[in-house]
Amino acid sequence: MLSARCGEARYQACSCLSELAFRDELNSLLIVNVPGALDAIIKLMMSSDMQEDAALIVGNCAAFSEEAVETMVHHAGLVAALKVAATSAEAGTKGIAVGAINCFSRFGFASDTLIAERVVEEALLPLLRRQDEKEEEEGGQPDAVELRAA
């Protein structure tokens, strides 16, 4: 369903998977081990219309299963897709992707991959710089979503 031609079907599949992963370690582990699931999630995170929904699956799996993080952090292209989502123009997508990166960073085994993929330099620092520029231009305080994304 994640690879369905119908956008509504892809959206509903993402919604179901993110709900199944929420607060459920076993479901999170099962989701990341379904053959082809992570590749489909990566493809969705690299697209413009499903980034947030796909990143939420990754974030929920990462939040509730260390084993799922280990599988995801070593899956080719997944961290790169999170970087793309973290630098999205959409505040919600940024926040969810940064949250997933944060979940990955809780585990020492993920550090090498996050460093090698230059997550801080290519995703997090640009967000912080943009936030600083935005605050200077607006002269105001960032909202909660922007703080979470930064």
Side-chain angles (χ1 to χ4, degrees):
M1 295 304 291
L2 290 171
S3 299
R5 288 185 183 172
C6 174
E8 181 65 21
R10 289 191 311 273
Y11 168 76
Q12 294 298 334
C14 286
S15 181
C16 287
L17 290 174
S18 63
E19 288 295 324
L20 287 169
F22 187 71
R23 294 188 180 192
D24 194 310
E25 184 175 359
L26 179 58
N27 281 346
S28 296
L29 192 54
L30 290 170
I31 289 166
V32 302
N33 284 302
V34 169
L38 291 179
D39 291 327
I41 291 168
I42 291 166
K43 186 175 179 181
L44 292 173
M45 277 197 294
M46 300 297 272
S47 73
S48 60
D49 64 334
M50 299 296 292
Q51 283 181 318
E52 184 172 345
D53 305 297
L56 188 57
I57 299 169
V58 174
N60 283 352
C61 288
F64 300 103
S65 174
E66 180 177 349
E67 287 182 69
V69 170
E70 190 159 10
T71 299
M72 291 187 291
V73 80
H74 293 109
H75 191 88
L78 194 129
V79 172
L82 273 176
K83 285 177 15 183
V84 169
T87 57
S88 165
E90 300 295 325
T93 302
K94 279 188 254 192
I96 291 168
V98 169
I101 291 167
N102 180 55
C103 289
F104 279 35
S105 73
R106 294 178 304 161
F107 305 107
F109 59 78
S111 297
D112 289 340
T113 302
L114 295 174
I115 291 167
E117 293 275 346
R118 300 181 48 81
V119 171
V120 171
E121 298 88 346
E122 296 176 3
L124 302 180
L125 285 176
L127 286 174
L128 292 171
R129 287 186 185 115
R130 273 189 247 135
Q131 187 59 46
D132 286 343
E133 291 168 5
K134 184 176 179 182
E135 287 178 25
E136 286 176 15
E137 288 174 10
E138 294 178 357
Q141 296 296 316
D143 64 26
V145 172
E146 291 167 334
L147 280 174
R148 181 175 166 210

